[in-house]
Amino acid sequence: MTWIVVLIPLFPFLGFLLNTFVIRNERQAGLLASAMVALSFIATIASIVVLQSLQGGGAEGAEGASQHIDFVLWEWMTIGSFRVPFGFLFDQLTAVMALLVTGVGGLIHFFSIGYMHGDARPVRYFAYLNLFIVAMLFLIMGDNMLLLFLGWEGVGLCSFLLISHWFDRKSVPPGIVPSEAAVKAFVANRVGDAGMLLAMMAIFATFGTLTFYGQGSGIGGYLEGAEQARSQVVNVGIFGAMSMVTLITLLMLIGVTGKSAQVPLFVWLPDAMAGPTPVSALIHAATMVTSGVYLIARNHTLFEASNGVNGWVAGIGVLTALLAAAAAVTQWDIKRVLAYSTVSQLGYMVAAVGMGAYVAGMFHLLTHGVFKALLFLGSASIIHGTHETQDMRRMGGLRTRMPTTFWTYMVGALALAGIFPFAGFWSKDEIIAHAFDVGNPGAGVILILASLMTAFYMGRQVALVFWGKPRDDHAAHAHESTGSMKNVLIILGIGAAIAGVMNLPGLHWLETFLHPVLGEEAAPYTVGKGVLATVVTLLAGASMYGG
């Protein structure tokens, strides 16, 4: 039954092909694309059942980090000693990522059916949306770095195609040209991708393979020999001598700064708002920008074997979290506030994996995927209901005119602000507490400050959009979203309220599930951290309601 993992990317790929070559009707395209991602979600759940049954049955590799399904379809490349299989890896880390990509991604597809009604190119839109899901699934399911890189470049290509979906528009609020924003995203990501290419070359030169694990592929995996490679030293000119593992992880970090929008390559992500808002939700919540966090988590044995690279990872993440939160405070466009917020929250995730809190980083990646999708789709509902208004200064009073959007958006805002007991409270607090536990109080203090700023700008946004009196005719005549758009907001609102249960203190369900791949964290989340959590959430609440 291990072949079932192939169905996960196959369904959306079929959707892409059918919408490209067969379907020409808007509604049929939307339903087909959404159904294919829903089937991919079901296939993911089935694959998890198969994985658990194999491990429970004492299958080969049922101990430690080798617990996984490695299904090889064919030998992709064979050039001398360079051999790369085309195979899919499915383990616990893949499972949680695939659930996010297909689950939240599927809801974004369903939302798009209503939001994109009447668009000039709906079939093309849904075809690219399916292709985006395929590329992200290749990224997280590839059993080697080359297949991961195929997906890595695929999400970059799809972001370019979808950000420029309205390429015939000279500008969209707040004065961004879609075609120029797409090029900016593409070029910024190419800078990071150069680091990824060099990292792959260095991996093959060092380990003789690009495959993660050896089981099932007939090729020894490089992650299994990370510690032994510390002794290999390379001279990198003005940077002096360093171990090959250190060089590899530094090059990967360059890729992370591009794809996950970290300092200094974060400049492309705010302008990515030029595309349709559901595309923004897909990029910011379920796909693309989470790639860098996944890359570090997948290669955590390399980062742990390096000399000081984890410190650079954590430092970049902390700096990004603070700078992006400060930038969000100054924005008037509803989507750009959320865009800078995404950059800031990605900083939390990168800081977490840099400090060795891999489960905490993945926990925040999952909760953020739910409540940020809710916020972006909520903003899409607001823009749709106010006749394409995005400037918050022209809104106001939408609480009574769009009640479903208001209540679901409030849940998302509270979760993002880290207010107890919503999902963001648990995941953000775990990262902040971990910083103090590992003897990095400076990082903890900066992350607390970024959390307070997050609560402030979200409180400001909610006040400007929903409270007071309408400041524009469009706001005065706003209408609530209906159909698939409304239902998706309700589902995501429930998720944003309860998603923190997946790794509650004392239960550690997510940590237990990910243990075979990531191992135990240096400082597991304990009830004693509740004191810090209480202080932070009270301050965040005061900041939000004072916004």
Side-chain angles (χ1 to χ4, degrees):
M1 285 291 290
T2 56
W3 55 266
I4 201 168
V5 300
V6 179
L7 297 179
I8 300 173
L10 180 61
F11 283 127
F13 184 64
L14 287 175
F16 164 71
L17 292 177
L18 289 172
N19 273 330
T20 300
F21 298 109
V22 179
I23 305 298
R24 290 296 177 265
N25 176 272
E26 174 190 319
R27 183 163 181 80
Q28 290 177 359
L31 291 174
L32 173 68
S34 303
M36 287 301 180
V37 181
L39 289 173
S40 182
F41 179 75
I42 295 171
T44 300
I45 295 176
S47 297
I48 294 174
V49 173
V50 172
L51 176 67
Q52 297 290 77
S53 66
L54 288 176
Q55 294 174 353
E60 184 182 357
E63 295 184 2
S66 60
Q67 295 187 1
H68 60 264
I69 297 171
D70 196 345
F71 192 85
V72 177
L73 279 78
W74 63 80
E75 195 78 5
W76 188 13
M77 296 184 187
T78 303
I79 307 172
S81 60
F82 182 70
R83 296 176 57 209
V84 181
F86 194 99
F88 293 119
L89 170 69
F90 194 88
D91 58 9
Q92 284 82 354
L93 181 58
T94 308
V96 296
M97 289 294 296
L99 285 174
L100 175 68
V101 171
T102 58
V104 175
L107 291 173
I108 293 170
H109 276 66
F110 278 111
F111 185 92
S112 294
I113 295 174
Y115 187 81
M116 297 301 289
H117 177 64
D119 186 79
R121 293 172 289 272
V123 178
R124 185 172 105 166
Y125 169 84
F126 281 108
Y128 288 160
L129 219 59
N130 265 181
L131 185 61
F132 209 144
I133 296 293
V134 174
M136 190 63 191
L137 289 171
F138 272 25
L139 191 156
I140 62 176
M141 293 182 65
D143 74 346
N144 59 80
M145 276 294 291
L146 193 60
L147 191 53
L148 181 151
F149 189 70
L150 177 66
W152 187 277
E153 290 298 293
V155 294
L157 171 64
C158 292
S159 68
F160 172 83
L161 295 171
L162 286 167
I163 293 170
S164 62
H165 178 73
W166 290 325
F167 62 86
D168 51 349
R169 299 187 183 184
K170 294 188 176 180
S171 70
V172 295
I176 303 171
V177 180
S179 58
E180 293 180 357
V183 171
K184 185 176 183 179
F186 192 79
V187 172
N189 274 277
R190 298 295 74 71
V191 176
D193 294 351
M196 281 289 289
L197 277 169
L198 292 172
M200 286 196 298
M201 295 175 189
I203 288 172
F204 182 75
T206 305
F207 302 99
T209 182
L210 294 176
T211 305
F212 297 128
Y213 305 110
Q215 295 175 347
S217 64
I219 306 172
Y222 72 84
L223 291 179
E224 299 163 329
E227 191 64 33
Q228 291 79 359
R230 294 184 65 178
S231 59
Q232 298 187 37
V233 178
V234 59
N235 193 309
V236 286
I238 60 174
F239 298 102
M242 63 178 67
S243 70
M244 184 63 84
V245 172
T246 300
L247 176 61
I248 290 169
T249 49
L250 282 173
L251 292 170
M252 284 186 181
L253 179 57
I254 296 174
V256 171
T257 59
K259 199 66 71 181
S260 289
Q262 299 295 286
V263 172
L265 296 178
F266 68 92
V267 293
W268 68 271
L269 194 56
D271 284 358
M273 300 300 96
T277 306
V279 172
S280 303
L282 193 62
I283 293 174
H284 287 246
T287 61
M288 193 159 176
V289 294
T290 61
S291 303
V293 182
Y294 168 79
L295 179 72
I296 296 176
R298 174 62 69 193
N299 290 276
H300 70 277
T301 55
L302 289 184
F303 281 86
E304 290 170 355
S306 67
N307 297 321
V309 177
N310 273 338
W312 281 97
V313 174
I316 288 174
V318 169
L319 180 62
T320 302
L322 181 64
L323 292 181
V329 173
T330 68
Q331 304 301 313
W332 293 111
D333 183 274
I334 187 172
K335 288 171 65 176
R336 287 180 75 86
V337 172
L338 299 178
Y340 278 109
S341 169
T342 297
V343 177
S344 181
Q345 299 309 303
L346 287 167
Y348 277 88
M349 301 173 209
V350 172
V353 294
M355 292 185 291
Y358 304 111
V359 174
M362 293 302 300
F363 185 24
H364 195 50
L365 185 153
L366 293 173
T367 59
H368 175 265
V370 176
F371 61 70
K372 185 54 63 68
L374 170 62
L375 289 170
F376 265 113
L377 296 183
S379 72
S381 177
I382 293 165
I383 294 167
H384 187 267
T386 57
H387 308 283
E388 303 304 312
T389 301
Q390 292 185 207
D391 191 333
M392 297 186 295
R393 292 170 292 186
R394 297 173 55 195
M395 297 181 186
L398 298 183
R399 176 172 55 91
T400 56
R401 290 163 177 80
M402 306 180 70
T404 302
T405 300
F406 165 68
W407 285 111
T408 54
Y409 203 92
M410 277 298 299
V411 171
L414 291 168
L416 173 58
I419 306 299
F420 179 86
F422 297 93
F425 165 80
W426 303 103
S427 55
K428 286 171 69 174
D429 177 63
E430 187 166 344
I431 295 171
I432 294 170
H434 187 90
F436 288 95
D437 283 345
V438 297
N440 198 344
V445 170
I446 294 174
L447 291 176
I448 288 174
L449 178 59
S451 181
L452 300 182
M453 294 170 71
T454 302
F456 175 78
Y457 65 68
M458 287 310 297
R460 169 179 172 266
Q461 185 182 69
V462 167
L464 285 170
V465 174
F466 293 106
W467 297 94
K469 296 181 179 180
R471 295 180 291 276
D472 186 278
D473 286 341
H474 292 314
H477 298 92
H479 61 85
E480 180 63 276
S481 299
T482 57
S484 62
M485 297 170 65
K486 183 176 180 178
N487 294 333
V488 168
L489 292 178
I490 293 172
I491 294 170
L492 287 172
I494 295 171
I498 66 173
V501 74
M502 71 178 76
N503 204 43
L504 287 177
L507 298 178
H508 308 295
W509 287 332
L510 182 64
E511 184 174 339
T512 301
F513 184 72
L514 289 174
H515 178 268
V517 183
L518 300 179
E520 294 185 8
E521 296 186 49
Y525 191 89
T526 61
V527 178
K529 296 174 185 175
V531 176
L532 173 65
T534 303
V535 173
V536 172
T537 195
L538 288 175
L539 291 173
S543 298
M544 183 167 185
Y545 298 121

